[in-house]
PDB file of all heavy atoms in Angstrom:
ATOM      1  N   GLY J1146      -0.739  18.259 -29.284  1.00 91.00           N
ATOM      2  CA  GLY J1146       0.519  17.525 -29.160  1.00 91.00           C
ATOM      3  C   GLY J1146       0.831  17.093 -27.743  1.00 91.00           C
ATOM      4  O   GLY J1146       1.864  16.500 -27.475  1.00 91.00           O
ATOM      5  N   GLY J1148      -0.786  14.886 -26.001  1.00 96.00           N
ATOM      6  CA  GLY J1148      -0.998  13.450 -25.798  1.00 96.00           C
ATOM      7  C   GLY J1148      -2.443  13.068 -25.508  1.00 96.00           C
ATOM      8  O   GLY J1148      -2.697  11.974 -25.006  1.00 96.00           O
ATOM      9  N   LYS J1149      -3.392  13.924 -25.862  1.00 95.00           N
ATOM     10  CA  LYS J1149      -4.807  13.635 -25.582  1.00 95.00           C
ATOM     11  C   LYS J1149      -5.297  12.411 -26.353  1.00 95.00           C
ATOM     12  O   LYS J1149      -5.879  11.492 -25.795  1.00 95.00           O
ATOM     13  CB  LYS J1149      -5.694  14.838 -25.971  1.00 95.00           C
ATOM     14  CG  LYS J1149      -5.388  16.107 -25.242  1.00 95.00           C
ATOM     15  CD  LYS J1149      -6.312  17.217 -25.681  1.00 95.00           C
ATOM     16  CE  LYS J1149      -6.122  17.640 -27.127  1.00 95.00           C
ATOM     17  NZ  LYS J1149      -4.833  18.263 -27.410  1.00 95.00           N
ATOM     18  N   THR J1150      -5.032  12.445 -27.661  1.00 95.00           N
ATOM     19  CA  THR J1150      -5.553  11.368 -28.496  1.00 95.00           C
ATOM     20  C   THR J1150      -4.904  10.039 -28.121  1.00 95.00           C
ATOM     21  O   THR J1150      -5.570   9.011 -28.051  1.00 95.00           O
ATOM     22  CB  THR J1150      -5.341  11.708 -29.972  1.00 95.00           C
ATOM     23  OG1 THR J1150      -5.965  12.973 -30.202  1.00 95.00           O
ATOM     24  CG2 THR J1150      -5.957  10.684 -30.886  1.00 95.00           C
ATOM     25  N   GLU J1151      -3.603  10.085 -27.826  1.00 96.00           N
ATOM     26  CA  GLU J1151      -2.924   8.853 -27.395  1.00 96.00           C
ATOM     27  C   GLU J1151      -3.564   8.354 -26.102  1.00 96.00           C
ATOM     28  O   GLU J1151      -3.785   7.156 -25.930  1.00 96.00           O
ATOM     29  CB  GLU J1151      -1.431   9.107 -27.165  1.00 96.00           C
ATOM     30  CG  GLU J1151      -0.625   9.344 -28.429  1.00 96.00           C
ATOM     31  CD  GLU J1151      -0.630   8.157 -29.384  1.00 96.00           C
ATOM     32  OE1 GLU J1151      -0.492   7.018 -28.909  1.00 96.00           O
ATOM     33  OE2 GLU J1151      -0.788   8.374 -30.599  1.00 96.00           O
ATOM     34  N   ASN J1189      -7.427  14.289 -39.092  1.00 95.00           N
ATOM     35  CA  ASN J1189      -6.130  14.652 -38.515  1.00 95.00           C
ATOM     36  C   ASN J1189      -5.176  15.142 -39.603  1.00 95.00           C
ATOM     37  O   ASN J1189      -5.309  14.781 -40.771  1.00 95.00           O
ATOM     38  CB  ASN J1189      -5.488  13.458 -37.813  1.00 95.00           C
ATOM     39  CG  ASN J1189      -6.158  13.143 -36.487  1.00 95.00           C
ATOM     40  OD1 ASN J1189      -7.346  13.430 -36.309  1.00 95.00           O
ATOM     41  ND2 ASN J1189      -5.412  12.561 -35.572  1.00 95.00           N
ATOM     42  N   ASN J1195       2.173  18.886 -33.943  1.00 89.00           N
ATOM     43  CA  ASN J1195       1.890  17.451 -33.811  1.00 89.00           C
ATOM     44  C   ASN J1195       1.755  16.854 -35.215  1.00 89.00           C
ATOM     45  O   ASN J1195       1.003  17.368 -36.033  1.00 89.00           O
ATOM     46  CB  ASN J1195       0.570  17.307 -33.020  1.00 89.00           C
ATOM     47  CG  ASN J1195       0.212  15.861 -32.743  1.00 89.00           C
ATOM     48  OD1 ASN J1195       0.838  14.939 -33.280  1.00 89.00           O
ATOM     49  ND2 ASN J1195      -0.804  15.662 -31.925  1.00 89.00           N
ATOM     50  N   ASN J1197       0.382  14.232 -35.993  1.00 92.00           N
ATOM     51  CA  ASN J1197      -0.922  13.586 -36.156  1.00 92.00           C
ATOM     52  C   ASN J1197      -1.945  14.354 -35.309  1.00 92.00           C
ATOM     53  O   ASN J1197      -2.522  13.837 -34.374  1.00 92.00           O
ATOM     54  CB  ASN J1197      -0.831  12.123 -35.708  1.00 92.00           C
ATOM     55  CG  ASN J1197      -2.137  11.388 -35.888  1.00 92.00           C
ATOM     56  OD1 ASN J1197      -2.877  11.657 -36.841  1.00 92.00           O
ATOM     57  ND2 ASN J1197      -2.445  10.484 -34.973  1.00 92.00           N
ATOM     58  N   SER J1198      -2.110  15.609 -35.683  1.00 91.00           N
ATOM     59  CA  SER J1198      -2.941  16.479 -34.847  1.00 91.00           C
ATOM     60  C   SER J1198      -4.414  16.323 -35.205  1.00 91.00           C
ATOM     61  O   SER J1198      -4.792  16.386 -36.372  1.00 91.00           O
ATOM     62  CB  SER J1198      -2.494  17.923 -35.068  1.00 91.00           C
ATOM     63  OG  SER J1198      -3.289  18.769 -34.299  1.00 91.00           O
ATOM     64  N   SER J1199      -5.253  16.080 -34.185  1.00 92.00           N
ATOM     65  CA  SER J1199      -6.691  15.964 -34.450  1.00 92.00           C
ATOM     66  C   SER J1199      -7.229  17.370 -34.678  1.00 92.00           C
ATOM     67  O   SER J1199      -7.049  18.241 -33.841  1.00 92.00           O
ATOM     68  CB  SER J1199      -7.420  15.351 -33.258  1.00 92.00           C
ATOM     69  OG  SER J1199      -6.563  14.536 -32.515  1.00 92.00           O
ATOM     70  N   ARG J1200      -7.876  17.549 -35.804  1.00 91.00           N
ATOM     71  CA  ARG J1200      -8.410  18.881 -36.127  1.00 91.00           C
ATOM     72  C   ARG J1200      -9.907  18.933 -35.882  1.00 91.00           C
ATOM     73  O   ARG J1200     -10.628  19.666 -36.546  1.00 91.00           O
ATOM     74  CB  ARG J1200      -8.063  19.279 -37.576  1.00 91.00           C
ATOM     75  CG  ARG J1200      -6.631  19.115 -37.967  1.00 91.00           C
ATOM     76  CD  ARG J1200      -5.657  19.696 -36.956  1.00 91.00           C
ATOM     77  NE  ARG J1200      -5.815  21.121 -36.728  1.00 91.00           N
ATOM     78  CZ  ARG J1200      -5.318  21.778 -35.689  1.00 91.00           C
ATOM     79  NH1 ARG J1200      -4.653  21.121 -34.758  1.00 91.00           N
ATOM     80  NH2 ARG J1200      -5.514  23.058 -35.569  1.00 91.00           N
ATOM     81  N   PHE J1201     -10.361  18.144 -34.939  1.00 93.00           N
ATOM     82  CA  PHE J1201     -11.769  18.180 -34.537  1.00 93.00           C
ATOM     83  C   PHE J1201     -11.854  17.699 -33.084  1.00 93.00           C
ATOM     84  O   PHE J1201     -10.946  17.020 -32.590  1.00 93.00           O
ATOM     85  CB  PHE J1201     -12.620  17.257 -35.424  1.00 93.00           C
ATOM     86  CG  PHE J1201     -12.273  15.797 -35.310  1.00 93.00           C
ATOM     87  CD1 PHE J1201     -13.111  14.926 -34.628  1.00 93.00           C
ATOM     88  CD2 PHE J1201     -11.100  15.283 -35.861  1.00 93.00           C
ATOM     89  CE1 PHE J1201     -12.798  13.569 -34.500  1.00 93.00           C
ATOM     90  CE2 PHE J1201     -10.771  13.934 -35.730  1.00 93.00           C
ATOM     91  CZ  PHE J1201     -11.620  13.082 -35.057  1.00 93.00           C
ATOM     92  N   ASP J1415     -12.111  13.971 -26.050  1.00 94.00           N
ATOM     93  CA  ASP J1415     -10.765  14.379 -26.491  1.00 94.00           C
ATOM     94  C   ASP J1415     -10.954  15.679 -27.251  1.00 94.00           C
ATOM     95  O   ASP J1415     -11.380  15.679 -28.395  1.00 94.00           O
ATOM     96  CB  ASP J1415     -10.192  13.257 -27.368  1.00 94.00           C
ATOM     97  CG  ASP J1415      -8.946  13.675 -28.157  1.00 94.00           C
ATOM     98  OD1 ASP J1415      -8.406  14.776 -27.921  1.00 94.00           O
ATOM     99  OD2 ASP J1415      -8.513  12.884 -29.019  1.00 94.00           O
TER     100      ASP J1415
HETATM  101 MG1   MG W2203      -5.366  14.786 -30.840  1.00 57.16          MG
END
Side-chain angles (χ1 to χ4, degrees):
K1149 299 181 294 294
T1150 304
E1151 289 298 317
N1189 286 28
N1195 183 350
N1197 182 34
S1198 179
S1199 333
R1200 310 312 300 163
F1201 64 106
D1415 167 9

